[in-house]
């Protein structure tokens, strides 16, 4: 994906990444986010090639359409907003997030404390803030092993939240699904 990636406004629906035969519409709900970035990776998933701020916000949905994007694209989101745990806000753009509407996941989980949005072992416990990036990338090196799970925009699963997908990947429910690279594939009809 080149730095000159075309970005159109797109639609706020359907939620998730939707291939329409010509490009992909990305739509992500967040009532409190201040900014959402779509991170595009090379085919290996090791190198971030582009980071695109979703330009539109309609009815609490951030969205964009990338006309040059094709199936099998690896991507994730970084979401900016308040870090205010006492009010339920834990935005941390240092963490690559899974698309909650992914249709399937593939890959290998490499456990690390950097997966948490807070500093494990901190005196402030889960009220602390972890500034480490949770994705290995030669573009932005970060310490320790990271999660590398791939998702596919294929057949829709019965539920669209991370915790319902985790058991099918043999990921313990206690592990937060906060960083996943996703692979968009054509929609199953």
């Amino acid at each position: 994906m080149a730095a000159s990636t075309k970005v159109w406004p797109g639609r706020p629906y359907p939620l998730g990444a939707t291939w329409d035969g010509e490009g992909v519409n990305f739509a992500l709900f967040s009532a409190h986010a201040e900014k959402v970035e779509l991170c595009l990776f090379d085919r290996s998933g090791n190198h971030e090639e582009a980071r695109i701020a979703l330009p539109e916000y309609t009815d609490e949905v951030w969205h964009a359409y990338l006309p040059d994007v094709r199936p099998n694209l690896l991507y994730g989101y970084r979401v900016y907003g308040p870090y205010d745990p006492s009010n339920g806000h834990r935005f941390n753009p240092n963490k690559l997030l899974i698309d909650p509407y992914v249709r399937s996941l593939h890959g290998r989980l490499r456990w690390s404390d950097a997966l948490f949005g807070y500093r494990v072992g901190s005196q402030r416990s889960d009220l602390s803030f972890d500034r480490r990036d949770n994705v290995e990338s030669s573009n932005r090196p970060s310490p320790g092993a990271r999660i590398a799970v791939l998702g596919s925009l294929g057949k829709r699963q019965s539920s669209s939240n991370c915790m319902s997908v985790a058991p099918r990947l043999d990921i313990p429910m206690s592990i937060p699904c906060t960083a996943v690279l996703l692979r968009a594939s054509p929609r199953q009809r």
Side-chain angles (χ1 to χ4, degrees):
M1 218 20 65
S4 61
T5 303
K6 291 181 196 168
V7 180
W8 297 350
R11 298 182 320 264
Y13 60 88
L15 293 172
T18 306
W19 164 252
D20 66 4
E22 296 180 21
V24 177
N25 189 76
F26 294 90
L28 181 71
F29 171 84
S30 181
H32 301 285
E34 297 165 355
K35 176 182 175 181
V36 173
E37 291 176 331
L38 174 65
C39 301
L40 307 179
F41 291 82
D42 69 0
R43 294 179 69 78
S44 72
N46 293 325
H47 305 283
E48 185 176 321
E49 294 184 327
R51 193 175 286 197
I52 300 164
L54 297 186
E56 301 295 322
Y57 184 68
T58 306
D59 298 328
E60 300 182 337
V61 175
W62 293 86
H63 53 95
Y65 182 85
L66 279 59
D68 297 328
V69 167
R70 299 294 177 257
N72 297 316
L73 173 77
L74 299 178
Y75 74 99
Y77 292 107
R78 294 193 185 266
V79 183
Y80 297 74
Y83 192 82
D84 183 8
S86 62
N87 287 312
H89 301 295
R90 293 180 180 270
F91 292 90
N92 187 339
N94 299 307
K95 310 302 176 183
L96 186 73
L97 302 177
I98 183 174
D99 182 338
Y101 294 91
V102 66
R103 291 175 169 90
S104 65
L105 298 173
H106 310 276
R108 191 173 111 193
L109 174 68
R110 291 190 202 126
W111 181 248
S112 167
D113 287 349
L115 296 175
F116 289 96
Y118 59 90
R119 290 184 310 276
V120 174
S122 168
Q123 288 183 346
R124 295 191 61 224
S125 188
D126 67 346
L127 299 178
S128 63
F129 185 83
D130 190 341
R131 297 189 191 293
R132 293 176 294 175
D133 194 321
N134 64 340
V135 177
E136 282 184 343
S137 170
S138 61
N139 293 342
R140 267 182 297 296
S142 56
R146 303 294 178 259
I147 190 169
V149 178
L150 304 179
S152 174
L153 183 65
K155 187 182 254 179
R156 173 144 324 258
Q157 297 187 6
S158 60
S159 180
S160 60
N161 68 55
C162 182
M163 295 318 266
S164 68
V165 174
R168 290 191 286 276
L169 292 172
D170 297 323
I171 298 172
M173 297 299 277
S174 62
I175 296 175
C177 280
T178 58
V180 178
L181 300 179
L182 307 171
R183 183 185 340 193
S185 298
R187 193 177 254 211
Q188 301 281 325
R189 297 193 194 268

